[in-house]
């Protein structure tokens, strides 16, 4: 009886939010913090943990449920924290373990989940494990992947095979101390760990438990496809796309990526996390995999217990020059058609390794891209600054910090450097955009900060940030958390998708995005269930149509590069007030039923 009533209540209001069948992480909006660049508390020009803690309210205000932070462990910073010298300590640049505990406690009190970056593939060459391995001190001798070189006829020793580093250059470096080469799929300062050594496997499990004990809710797992390499170390086939043997695209990475053992290790970590929640609080701990690989290898992570592998379609397959057909097919359908039936989807439009959305797409497309990211089914992932539409900042070759940029040369570094998308968060129009009290910050603040900043967008009537807030609010509704999805091309320039609850005909919500530089006239007839008139619920900031405007299903105009969220008039604003009255009424009825 109560079930029937609850259903009637849902159908009447279309307003339910939390579905008891969905676990906390399946509907979360995640925010990525790049800790060096988010908030500096001590004026050294580099972000830190007390800084993050002091700004957590921003995440709450933004409708964020969880955040993941790039590495904060002790590190010589050759790859800005992705080279870890001690996995169970915080780097002094960022603070102390105590600061970390405070951060977690404050996050919990605000209802935010905390997700750590786990970097299992490689440590720093300054890790004690590597120092011991270099000196052949057991049990560390085989913690890394050491190989003898190949001796040529003339007596010179060369690397054991043709493997290339992701950052450019050979994946092998010679150490005279051991008279051998060690493998590094990334920078020379990032030696690959040897997962065929059982002690290494155990070390990483102990590290995971260490952070679980400190209260983290899960892990973003770094560079996972590179975990194992083929044991027989064969040369990789040549791609034929470049003549430079030190360019990563010189070879096809059959033997250095996506090995079967990698997935088995993920399954072991899943087991560990599940055992941990079973013996503590029964709350799921998450594993989010960073895997730039093909669709089938990506989806395989679901089978081995990852909560999800990041969906990089909007990063790797399309950009601002793509047509809506390409966006639909390569970024949306490619994912939805291949995600396993019981798999939770996720959408990622930016991170610390990619040019920003405003620069990879265009500043005018920021709102439309956020609509896509936040309103498609499943988890949304937002890189810091994307809620206000931050842009890349050009940085000279002389000032380039990123090893991936420095590994190139003056003529090509701009194709590789990740510095432009890692500049400090633009909080306000004060010194260093409110990021630091210092005028000199580790990367320069974007020169547009006086006008492009959070405070200005909070003050403005219409802003990217306000659109973002409306979108995260909408995400809490049942139609976004549970609704079906239907993607349609309306013409050569306009793509749209609907979200709909089967139980409620007026729940329909339609997102329309115009990829053309001019206004387009469209019809929404492709969405059979849409009513004849709809109301603009959210509009991108330069849109001619603004929120509250009623439009006709058969013909409406959408401005250049705009995004619109349309709803049935009965489902929007005003009816919510009525509905809450209905909820109160039903609650009273339910309460009475108990007697
Ligand atoms: C991942 C990180 C990237 C880092 C690399 C090596 O791809 O996202 O920033 O440089 O792994 O750890
Ligand atoms: Mg600092
Ligand atoms: Ca590896």
């Amino acid at each position: 009886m109560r079930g029937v009533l609850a259903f009637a209540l849902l159908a009447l209001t279309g307003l339910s939010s939390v579905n008891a069948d969905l676990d906390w992480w399946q509907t979360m909006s995640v925010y990525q913090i790049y800790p060096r660049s988010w908030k500096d508390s001590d004026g050294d020009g580099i972000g830190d943990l007390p800084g993050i803690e002091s700004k957590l309210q921003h995440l709450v205000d933004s409708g964020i449920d969880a955040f993941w932070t790039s590495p904060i462990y002790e590190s010589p910073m050759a790859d800005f924290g992705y080279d870890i010298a001690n996995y169970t300590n915080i780097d002094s640049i960022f603070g102390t373990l105590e600061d970390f505990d405070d951060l977690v406690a404050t996050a919990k009190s605000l209802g935010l989940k905390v997700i750590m970056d786990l970097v299992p593939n490689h440590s720093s060459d300054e890790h004690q494990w590597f120092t011991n391995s270099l000196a052949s001190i057991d049990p560390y001798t085989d913690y890394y992947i050491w190989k003898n070189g190949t001796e040529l006829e003339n007596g010179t020793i060369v690397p054991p095979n043709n493997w290339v580093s992701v950052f450019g250059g050979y994946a092998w470096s010679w150490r005279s101390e051991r008279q051998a080469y060690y493998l590094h799929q990334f920078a020379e300062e990032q030696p690959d760990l040897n997962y065929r050594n059982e002690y290494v496997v155990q070390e990483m499990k102990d590290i995971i438990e260490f952070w679980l004990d400190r209260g983290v809710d899960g892990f973003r797992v770094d560079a996972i496809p590179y975990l194992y390499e083929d044991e027989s170390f064969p040369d990789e086939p040549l791609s034929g796309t470049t003549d430079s043997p030190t360019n990563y695209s010189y070879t096809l990475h059959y033997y250095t990526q996506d090995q079967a053992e990698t997935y088995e290790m993920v399954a072991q970590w899943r087991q560990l996390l599940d055992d941990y929640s079973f013996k503590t609080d029964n709350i799921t701990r998450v594993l989010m995999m960073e895997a730039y690989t093909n669709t089938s290898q990506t989806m395989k992570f679901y089978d081995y217990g990852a909560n999800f592998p990041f969906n990089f379609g909007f990063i790797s397959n399309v950009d601002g020059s793509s047509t809506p057909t390409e966006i639909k097919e390569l970024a949306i359908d490619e994912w939805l058609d291949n995600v396993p039936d019981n798999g939770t989807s996720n959408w990622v439009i930016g991170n610390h390794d990619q040019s920003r959305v405003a620069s990879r797409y265009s500043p005018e497309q920021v709102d439309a891209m956020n609509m896509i990211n936040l309103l498609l089914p499943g988890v949304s992932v937002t890189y810091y600054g994307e809620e206000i539409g931050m842009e890349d900042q050009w940085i000279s070759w002389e000032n380039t910090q990123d090893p991936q940029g420095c590994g190139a040369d003056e003529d090509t570094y701009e194709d590789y450097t990740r510095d432009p998308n890692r500049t400090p968060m633009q909080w306000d129009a004060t010194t260093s955009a409110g990021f630091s009290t210092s005028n000199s910050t580790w990367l320069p603040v974007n020169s547009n900060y006086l006008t492009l900043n959070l405070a200005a967008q909070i003050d403005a009537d219409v802003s990217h940030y306000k659109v973002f807030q409306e979108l995260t609010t909408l995400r809490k509704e049942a139609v976004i958390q549970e609704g079906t999805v239907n993607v349609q091309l309306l013409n050569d320039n306009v793509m749209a998708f609907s979200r709909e609850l089967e139980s409620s005909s007026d729940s329909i919500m339609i997102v329309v995005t115009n990829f053309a530089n001019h206004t387009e006239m469209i019809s929404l007839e492709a969405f059979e269930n849409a009513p004849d008139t709809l109301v603009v619920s959210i509009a991108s900031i330069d849109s001619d149509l603004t929120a509250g405007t009623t439009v006709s299903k058969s013909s409406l105009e959408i401005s250049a590069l705009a995004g619109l969220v349309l709803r049935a008039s009965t489902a929007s604003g005003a009816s919510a007030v009525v509905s809450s009255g209905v909820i109160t009424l039903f609650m009273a009825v339910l309460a009475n039923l108990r007697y």
Side-chain angles (χ1 to χ4, degrees):
M1 182 63 180
R2 290 186 64 180
V4 174
L5 266 179
F7 179 79
L9 174 113
L10 274 184
L12 257 170
T13 64
L15 260 190
S16 99
S17 43
V18 183
N19 179 329
D21 294 338
L22 291 172
D23 202 352
W24 69 268
W25 58 272
Q26 293 182 282
T27 54
M28 67 180 170
S29 53
V30 189
Y31 188 93
Q32 181 191 351
I33 292 176
Y34 194 68
R36 295 180 72 86
S37 301
W38 209 54
K39 176 68 186 174
D40 173 24
S41 72
D42 59 0
D44 66 353
I46 306 176
D48 44 55
L49 298 187
I52 295 176
E53 189 185 350
S54 74
K55 288 291 192 183
L56 288 180
Q57 186 60 41
H58 169 60
L59 300 187
V60 177
D61 297 344
S62 305
I64 295 295
D65 304 303
F67 66 91
W68 77 268
T69 168
S70 286
I72 50 180
Y73 313 93
E74 200 178 308
S75 165
M77 304 287 165
D79 189 18
F80 297 113
Y82 283 97
D83 49 320
I84 299 172
N86 182 348
Y87 285 84
T88 54
N89 200 11
I90 302 291
D91 196 279
S92 58
I93 287 180
F94 297 124
T96 62
L97 277 170
E98 209 184 350
D99 292 330
F100 181 79
D101 293 342
D102 289 346
L103 171 65
V104 172
T106 303
K108 301 258 139 131
S109 74
L110 293 170
L112 295 165
K113 302 276 192 204
V114 182
I115 301 173
M116 287 288 265
D117 204 340
L118 183 72
V119 188
N121 180 65
H122 42 264
S123 73
S124 160
D125 61 348
E126 292 184 27
H127 197 297
Q128 188 67 48
W129 298 337
F130 191 75
T131 317
N132 289 339
S133 194
L134 198 56
S136 299
I137 298 172
D138 278 336
Y140 302 100
T141 311
D142 295 325
Y143 263 43
Y144 296 87
I145 299 166
W146 294 98
K147 287 285 283 178
N148 293 328
T150 305
E151 191 172 343
L152 301 180
E153 275 175 23
N154 66 9
T156 42
I157 310 275
V158 296
N161 63 28
N162 71 352
W163 293 359
V164 192
S165 150
V166 176
F167 289 160
Y170 289 110
W172 298 99
S173 287
W174 174 259
R175 290 304 293 252
S176 56
E177 298 93 323
R178 256 188 87 149
Q179 291 292 303
Y181 285 95
Y182 67 89
L183 177 74
H184 55 90
Q185 294 226 49
F186 291 87
E188 193 170 49
E189 298 89 342
Q190 294 169 302
D192 274 51
L193 285 158
N194 175 16
Y195 279 82
R196 293 202 169 84
N197 179 309
E198 61 183 296
Y199 292 107
V200 170
V201 170
Q202 192 54 47
E203 294 273 17
M204 202 49 63
K205 289 181 179 171
D206 292 347
I207 288 161
I208 291 173
E209 284 223 37
F210 176 89
W211 293 103
L212 290 174
D213 283 343
R214 293 200 107 89
V216 310
D217 299 290
F219 300 89
R220 172 267 189 189
V221 185
D222 181 72
I224 189 67
Y226 306 90
L227 201 68
Y228 281 83
E229 296 77 25
D230 188 300
E231 260 184 300
S232 58
F233 299 94
D235 271 348
E236 293 197 310
L238 304 190
S239 67
T241 59
T242 163
D243 290 335
S244 163
T246 55
N247 187 312
Y248 190 59
S249 54
Y250 183 66
T251 57
L252 299 172
H253 306 288
Y254 293 173
Y255 304 118
T256 53
Q257 279 191 26
D258 306 327
Q259 305 296 298
E261 296 96 323
T262 296
Y263 294 91
E264 305 287 348
M265 189 54 55
V266 173
Q268 291 190 32
W269 295 336
R270 169 82 274 151
Q271 189 63 50
L272 192 165
L273 261 54
D274 288 351
D275 290 348
Y276 191 89
S277 43
F278 183 74
K279 72 178 189 220
T280 55
D281 50 16
N282 279 314
I283 297 172
T284 306
R285 304 304 196 278
V286 294
L287 282 177
M288 320 188 295
M289 318 310 291
E290 186 218 20
Y292 289 95
T293 182
N294 63 42
T295 303
S296 66
Q297 296 288 354
T298 299
M299 297 303 176
K300 218 166 131 182
F301 286 105
Y302 282 106
D303 305 336
Y304 286 81
N307 294 78
F308 52 86
F310 284 134
N311 167 5
F312 289 138
F314 277 99
I315 282 172
S316 300
N317 304 348
V318 294
D319 61 23
S321 67
S322 306
T323 64
T325 309
E326 290 165 334
I327 300 270
K328 176 180 184 300
E329 286 173 8
L330 305 176
I332 302 181
D333 294 349
E334 177 70 8
W335 184 269
L336 293 175
D337 293 348
N338 290 292
V339 66
D341 285 345
N342 56 355
T344 295
S345 291
N346 74 93
W347 307 91
V348 185
I349 53 176
N351 62 40
H352 65 297
D353 296 326
Q354 312 298 332
S355 173
R356 284 191 173 277
V357 171
S359 304
R360 203 162 8 96
Y361 290 82
S362 72
E364 294 79 13
Q365 280 173 296
V366 163
D367 301 316
M369 293 306 294
N370 279 334
M371 287 175 188
I372 291 172
N373 195 48
L374 289 149
L375 299 181
L376 281 170
V379 173
S380 66
V381 186
T382 297
Y383 181 50
Y384 84 91
E386 301 295 15
E387 71 277 36
I388 56 170
M390 275 174 60
E391 298 171 11
D392 286 356
Q393 166 65 48
W394 183 83
I395 292 169
S396 70
W397 165 246
E398 288 71 30
N399 290 330
T400 293
Q401 309 271 338
D402 176 21
Q404 189 170 273
C406 298
D409 55 45
E410 189 167 358
D411 295 329
T412 58
Y413 82 96
E414 288 180 62
D415 294 340
Y416 297 95
T417 179
R418 298 167 293 184
D419 292 338
N421 50 281
R422 294 176 174 178
T423 60
M425 174 69 185
Q426 291 160 221
W427 296 102
D428 57 38
T430 64
T431 304
S432 292
F435 160 73
S436 175
T437 52
S438 170
N439 274 311
S440 130
T441 53
W442 82 282
L443 284 176
V445 172
N446 194 303
S447 52
N448 64 17
Y449 82 95
L450 286 175
T451 49
L452 200 169
N453 64 65
L454 177 67
Q457 294 195 17
I458 290 173
D459 284 348
D461 289 337
V462 176
S463 67
H464 296 312
Y465 184 61
K466 293 216 162 140
V467 169
F468 188 89
Q469 283 179 310
E470 287 162 14
L471 293 171
T472 52
T473 302
L474 192 51
R475 277 181 66 77
K476 307 281 185 243
E477 290 193 30
V479 65
I480 302 303
Q481 301 204 336
E482 303 156 42
T484 55
V485 61
N486 172 9
V487 189
Q488 296 284 338
L489 291 167
L490 302 186
N491 66 30
D492 286 349
N493 292 317
V494 182
M495 184 196 74
F497 63 89
S498 68
R499 303 296 312 277
E500 209 175 324
L501 285 172
E502 272 145 19
S503 56
S504 155
S505 61
D506 67 359
S507 67
I508 194 164
M509 195 218 66
I510 302 176
V511 177
V512 192
T513 51
N514 181 6
F515 288 80
N517 260 314
H518 54 258
T519 299
E520 283 278 344
M521 183 67 94
I522 52 156
S523 145
L524 298 169
E525 299 298 341
F527 297 101
E528 288 169 21
N529 297 339
D532 291 341
T533 59
L534 294 123
V535 174
V536 177
S537 170
I538 307 175
S540 56
I541 64 171
D542 298 321
S543 163
D544 286 342
L545 283 176
T546 52
T549 313
T550 300
V551 296
S552 151
K553 175 184 183 177
S554 58
S555 112
L556 65 133
E557 272 188 0
I558 177 164
S559 307
L561 302 171
L564 296 172
V565 179
L566 307 171
R567 311 194 72 178
S569 52
T570 46
S572 65
S575 70
V577 180
V578 178
S579 303
S580 66
V582 176
I583 290 176
T584 316
L585 187 77
F586 270 93
M587 286 310 187
V589 174
L590 282 180
N592 282 330
L593 267 182
R594 294 210 185 129
Y595 303 102

